[in-house]
Amino acid sequence: MGGAAGRLSRMAGRGDGSVIGGKIGLWLEPGLLSKLAAGRQVVLVTGTNGKTTTTRLITAGLAVTGQDVASNSYGANMEEGLAAALGQALDAPYAVLEVDEKYLPRVIQATAPRVVVLLNLSRDQMDRAAEIWLVARRWRDSFATASRTHVVANADDPLIAWAASSANRVTWVSAGQRWREDSWCCPQCGSHLRREGDDWRCRECGCSRPRVSWVLDGGKVIDSAGRAHDLDLTLPGRANRANAVIALAVAEVFGVEVARALSALRRVTSVAGRYTQVERRGRSVRLLLAKNPAGWLEAFDVLDPPPAPVVLSVNAQEPDGRDTSWLWDVDYRVLRGRRIFVTGERRLDLAVRLEADQVPFELVDSVDQAVDRIHGRLDVLANYTAFQQIRAALGRVS
Ligand SMILES: [Zn+2]
């Protein structure tokens, strides 16, 4: 019935049907998720940023084994989305599932995962997110009871390291941390953390960065045996290199050799419409998604170098968070020296913010208006529903 509902939803043009089918399935059978997960090797991926991309990269890495991999590749990351993804690939022995941060403990209980991946934790849409420390503490509690689960975690994010350290087995990865505004305090005792480079330590309680076995070093990855490999990804930016190193560490848990996994990762060119290049009225447009301050900071790194133009688009619908005050947490001065177009339902909020940072901009009603005013390439950076609207306007690029 879930599958039929999903197909109906697609036929009616309501969406990709990845949520409604799961919703109906769970309504009929509340234990559906654990039934669908039984007998499979499950990987759960969570964190504030990078979930969808990392899920895609791990899926690519595991696919080299020749086995089928179930995955919620379009980011429907609550229970109904997970049930739908598993229901659509009943025979797949592997499942790689992106999970919303708040649902992780519940999903761990339902799916008994072989691996849980923890990427990073930072403030998200302010009117929606519970305090991130509470999220980390719930993770920590659930690892203490999931004794067979292997955690792969970013040691450079103190909150992540603290959450993961209650697990029996952890592969620590140095994936870096660009956004540090949410991690100046010790997650264990609240004292001020000493930070030098990627290293961090609390002088009060001794909580410190664990020893890492995988390292992102510029454009290279150093694997657990100490060998360096060039990453050479097609996906752009530091954040995606970090996601790739994590994906390689997960592939190792499944016995996939680094070189083989890496060549599969290099073939990933876009993820759920992100990073896609589309031609629009003779110009090349590239779509980037960023949903919160940490995400915007990472996205700025990916932009074509100045003076390349960029469109910034912000909405404040329910999935984005109604409150746009997070815009004030981002430093926009790095955008000076390029032509900036501002659009989206909350373009005036963004305009005020840019004005305060003395960054010149032009207001436009749509991406097409910006396209008409430039030559060559255009990067478009948008938050969640703004991204979906632009993607639909440009022809549902995938
Ligand atoms: Zn401490």
Side-chain angles (χ1 to χ4, degrees):
M1 280 189 72
R7 280 190 292 280
L8 271 175
S9 165
R10 278 191 295 279
M11 279 160 58
R14 293 288 299 273
D16 60 10
S18 57
V19 172
I20 184 72
K23 241 182 198 157
I24 289 178
L26 282 164
W27 177 68
L28 290 168
E29 168 54 281
L32 183 65
L33 191 54
S34 59
K35 286 192 170 155
L36 287 169
R40 310 201 211 210
Q41 305 208 38
V42 175
V43 179
L44 304 179
V45 180
T46 197
T48 306
N49 286 313
K51 291 187 285 289
T52 307
T53 304
T54 308
T55 298
R56 179 77 184 79
L57 292 171
I58 295 170
T59 303
L62 293 188
V64 305
T65 60
Q67 305 275 16
D68 287 338
V69 186
S71 185
N72 52 342
S73 51
Y74 279 87
N77 62 13
M78 300 187 204
E79 280 161 297
E80 52 268 24
L82 308 186
L86 293 173
Q88 280 159 17
L90 286 171
D91 298 325
Y94 292 138
V96 182
L97 302 170
E98 146 178 7
V99 184
D100 181 274
E101 300 89 286
K102 291 183 293 303
Y103 288 81
L104 183 69
R106 220 191 288 182
V107 176
I108 287 176
Q109 217 166 35
T111 62
R114 178 163 178 200
V115 176
V116 172
V117 174
L118 304 183
L119 298 168
N120 49 65
L121 262 179
S122 66
R123 68 188 80 163
D124 207 337
Q125 300 87 340
M126 299 233 260
D127 57 355
R128 191 174 77 147
E131 214 203 313
I132 51 177
W133 184 81
L134 284 174
V135 172
R137 197 182 65 180
R138 287 192 200 108
W139 291 358
R140 195 176 154 81
D141 292 347
S142 71
F143 294 136
T145 57
S147 58
R148 285 187 309 177
T149 296
H150 186 136
V151 175
V152 175
N154 181 8
D156 298 340
D157 184 324
L159 206 47
I160 288 290
W162 178 68
S165 61
S166 68
N168 254 350
R169 296 192 60 191
V170 186
T171 298
W172 295 109
V173 180
S174 173
Q177 187 192 34
R178 182 84 160 71
W179 173 266
R180 296 191 169 175
E181 301 308 317
D182 295 315
S183 43
W184 294 112
C185 292
C186 172
Q188 177 78 37
C189 75
S191 305
H192 190 70
L193 282 182
R194 271 175 68 97
R195 305 204 61 159
E196 279 167 47
D198 286 328
D199 198 34
W200 53 269
R201 128 178 346 266
C202 170
R203 275 188 297 187
E204 295 299 320
C205 73
C207 188
S208 63
R209 177 175 178 259
R211 275 172 67 105
V212 298
S213 51
W214 287 78
V215 178
L216 169 63
D217 182 11
K220 287 183 195 302
V221 52
I222 298 163
D223 68 21
S224 60
R227 295 167 303 193
H229 311 257
D230 286 321
L231 280 167
D232 284 332
L233 300 178
T234 314
L235 294 178
R238 195 213 68 87
N240 283 326
R241 291 195 289 277
N243 296 335
V245 174
I246 300 242
L248 292 171
V250 173
E252 182 186 52
V253 175
F254 289 86
V256 180
E257 201 207 325
V258 185
R260 286 188 71 207
L262 194 47
S263 64
L265 267 48
R266 289 179 186 133
R267 288 194 294 272
V268 176
T269 54
S270 79
V271 178
R274 304 164 199 184
Y275 317 109
T276 325
Q277 303 252 17
V278 290
E279 290 300 313
R280 192 74 174 168
R281 305 183 187 192
R283 276 71 148 189
S284 171
V285 177
R286 186 171 60 153
L287 299 183
L288 304 166
L289 171 74
K291 297 182 276 194
N292 45 50
W296 278 62
L297 210 59
E298 298 278 12
F300 290 164
D301 289 343
V302 173
L303 298 177
D304 279 348
V310 59
V311 175
L312 306 177
S313 183
V314 171
N315 282 2
Q317 296 185 19
E318 198 65 42
D320 308 305
R322 296 275 181 198
D323 179 349
T324 55
S325 59
W326 62 270
L327 288 170
W328 292 82
D329 294 335
V330 181
D331 186 348
Y332 298 87
R333 289 171 300 177
V334 293
L335 294 176
R336 287 177 186 163
R338 42 171 105 235
R339 196 163 173 198
I340 295 167
F341 300 96
V342 173
T343 189
E345 294 163 3
R346 301 300 283 267
R347 55 186 175 273
L348 294 181
D349 296 15
L350 183 55
V352 170
R353 179 66 191 91
L354 291 172
E355 182 96 2
D357 265 355
Q358 296 178 304
V359 177
F361 59 87
E362 298 165 53
L363 283 175
V364 289
D365 293 327
S366 66
V367 171
D368 279 340
Q369 252 183 36
V371 165
D372 286 340
R373 294 186 196 175
I374 60 119
H375 302 284
R377 265 165 67 100
L378 181 66
D379 279 331
V380 176
L381 173 52
N383 73 340
Y384 190 70
T385 64
F387 180 88
Q388 301 302 354
Q389 287 170 355
I390 292 166
R391 195 172 153 221
L394 299 183
R396 196 114 194 131
V397 290
S398 60

